[in-house]
Amino acid sequence: MMTTERLDQIRVGGDVPRHVAVIMDGNGRWARQRGLPRHLGHREGLKSVRETIEGAIEAGVEILTLFAFSTENWNRPVQEVSALMGILQLYARKERAELKRQGVEVHVLGQLDRIDAQTREAVDMFVDGTSGGTELRLNLMISYGGREELVRSARLLSERVAQGDLDPADIDEGMLSDTLFTAGLPDPDLLIRTSGEYRISNFMLWQMAYTELYISSVLWPDFGREHLFEAVLDYQRRERRFGRVEAP
Ligand code: IPE
Ligand code: IPE
Ligand code: MG
């Protein structure tokens, strides 16, 4: 099926997921298959980021959340970590103007104090330079881990309890949500993981309670908008029940 046909199908297919999250996986394998160093796989993955952003806008997705670097990824060899930070800087500098033009508002979520000063600066300029975009909100998850995020929430709430501002009995789901990096955003409707891995890898543990999962066998550097559209079409065929007998 052609990409435009898929898009036409999405238009008649019903609700488009408001919030799509993606675990961008398989860059290393893509490079290995070609006898290339891993960092060239990461580099090639930028094309897929571009494609996915454009496809999300075309399909009418409001929020796109991309998992770019996990807390556990800090345990990779230093050369790979610095290559990834370099690619992130390059991306932030090169794409800022284009994303602004497209109306994409970039947010960077994660434990950013672990990032080196140069990358941090590029990221801050990226966020400042795209603020106000109304076509798509893009969350780049960097140095992000779902468990670490929840530990941080526990800390934030207990500080308020310790200060006497909060009664533990008043802590509810909404209050906890408000302490997450994603405060104020709806939970992801659809999670796409590429490279055929069937796991969450510490991504958005709280937020994904009722997210629809879609595993694509495509390696991230080969992922294009047609694959995104395929995932959205699959999502549109599902019945979300949220624990009830039928869809609300
Ligand atoms: C995803 O690709 C990118 C990051 C995790 C930063 P990988 O680097 O995990 O690629 P594989 O899984 O080794 O193929
Ligand atoms: C998940 O991929 C993290 C990102 C895509 C940023 P990994 O490649 O790090 O996950 P595992 O090690 O396969 O679980
Ligand atoms: Mg991987």
Side-chain angles (χ1 to χ4, degrees):
M1 208 194 319
M2 299 272 298
T3 306
T4 48
E5 280 176 56
R6 287 198 181 106
L7 198 52
D8 289 342
Q9 272 202 323
I10 289 172
R11 300 241 157 85
V12 297
D15 289 346
V16 170
R18 265 185 88 188
H19 184 175
V20 175
V22 186
I23 302 179
M24 310 184 286
D25 197 15
N27 298 348
R29 277 161 283 170
W30 183 93
R32 195 178 58 213
Q33 285 174 1
R34 287 161 181 76
L36 299 171
R38 292 177 60 85
H39 71 91
L40 291 183
H42 299 312
R43 187 65 197 263
E44 191 70 17
L46 290 183
K47 273 196 209 151
S48 305
V49 171
R50 245 172 252 133
E51 276 279 314
T52 304
I53 291 169
E54 283 169 16
I57 294 171
E58 286 170 356
V61 169
E62 291 170 40
I63 304 163
L64 178 66
T65 299
L66 301 179
F67 199 11
F69 192 88
S70 72
T71 48
E72 290 74 27
N73 290 150
W74 287 114
N75 300 323
R76 292 190 179 196
V78 277
Q79 306 93 294
E80 181 163 348
V81 170
S82 48
L84 281 163
M85 292 301 145
I87 289 166
L88 178 60
Q89 283 181 41
L90 176 86
Y91 178 72
R93 296 213 167 92
K94 252 181 62 177
E95 308 281 314
R96 190 173 60 219
E98 177 60 14
L99 289 172
K100 175 80 182 165
R101 196 193 60 75
Q102 292 175 315
V104 178
E105 180 172 274
V106 180
H107 293 255
V108 177
L109 312 183
Q111 214 61 60
L112 300 181
D113 49 10
R114 292 179 74 176
I115 288 173
D116 66 278
Q118 236 189 341
T119 307
R120 185 66 196 267
E121 195 191 331
V123 157
D124 288 344
M125 280 173 66
F126 198 26
V127 171
D128 290 345
T130 57
S131 78
T134 54
E135 282 300 304
L136 180 76
R137 173 178 168 133
L138 174 66
N139 297 316
L140 287 180
M141 309 303 265
I142 291 162
S143 187
Y144 171 84
R147 286 189 169 178
E148 193 175 77
E149 181 181 44
L150 288 167
V151 167
R152 183 175 161 271
S153 292
R155 237 177 247 139
L156 290 169
L157 292 174
S158 39
E159 276 163 15
R160 288 177 52 194
V161 170
Q163 282 162 6
D165 289 343
L166 178 63
D167 179 348
D170 291 335
I171 298 175
D172 60 11
E173 291 186 9
M175 201 180 284
L176 198 137
S177 286
D178 286 343
T179 61
L180 301 173
F181 291 119
T182 52
L185 298 179
D187 291 337
D189 299 296
L190 172 65
L191 170 79
I192 301 170
R193 180 164 189 156
T194 59
S195 85
E197 304 289 1
Y198 284 73
R199 54 179 175 264
I200 300 294
S201 299
N202 199 16
F203 193 38
M204 298 181 99
L205 297 178
W206 170 277
Q207 297 89 332
M208 295 216 294
Y210 271 100
T211 299
E212 295 292 327
L213 309 181
Y214 181 89
I215 310 293
S216 166
S217 59
V218 173
L219 301 176
W220 179 249
D222 293 326
F223 192 87
R225 75 187 77 193
E226 69 276 22
H227 302 111
L228 173 71
F229 295 162
E230 211 47 73
V232 170
L233 285 169
D234 195 271
Y235 170 88
Q236 288 180 320
R237 291 192 286 267
R238 301 195 189 177
E239 191 196 349
R240 301 183 77 187
R241 286 195 288 268
F242 301 96
R244 303 174 209 213
V245 177
E246 53 202 43

